[in-house]
Amino acid sequence: MAEAKTSAAYLHIAERSLDDAKVLLSHPDKKHCAGAFYLCGYGVECALKALLLNRSTMAQRPKVLKWFYGKPGHDLDAIRKKLRDRGRPVPGACQLEAGLWPERGAG
């Protein structure tokens, strides 16, 4: 697969990964759940990368793209921190869970 270099390309990969995950989860024998969860995580990673590129200046983008290919570029918390630094905070998993299911509480 060619390297994504634009926000639109990362968003396309995110959408495709989530679509693939849905297919795996719809399989009747449920043997592919681990693969579906992996693809969901990858989809989230690519969506966050799309947002980060979108929130970066043209001058920042080459450095951001290079950063994506290092270890921190696959760390959702590191990507979230970069987004927060650019004024676009993204809730963490516990915050999202508490927001989606308030009756469960945080954490």
Side-chain angles (χ1 to χ4, degrees), residues 28 32 56 60 74 99:
H32 306 287
S56 301
Q60 292 170 326
H74 301 287

Side-chain angles (χ1 to χ4, degrees), residues 23-88:
V23 169
L24 290 175
L25 285 173
S26 70
H27 199 274
D29 64 14
K30 304 296 181 205
K31 290 182 181 178
H32 306 287
C33 287
F37 292 134
Y38 173 83
L39 286 169
C40 285
Y42 184 61
V44 169
E45 176 186 326
C46 288
L48 290 174
K49 287 177 175 181
L51 184 58
L52 181 56
L53 278 174
N54 184 267
R55 299 296 291 184
S56 301
T57 66
M58 292 302 285
Q60 292 170 326
R61 289 181 186 175
K63 187 174 180 179
V64 171
L65 286 167
K66 186 175 180 181
W67 183 80
F68 284 168
Y69 294 100
K71 187 176 179 181
H74 301 287
D75 179 337
L76 297 181
D77 288 329
I79 299 169
R80 287 178 52 240
K81 182 182 181 315
K82 287 251 187 218
L83 283 164
R84 187 174 51 247
D85 293 346
R86 285 183 169 73
R88 188 69 178 204

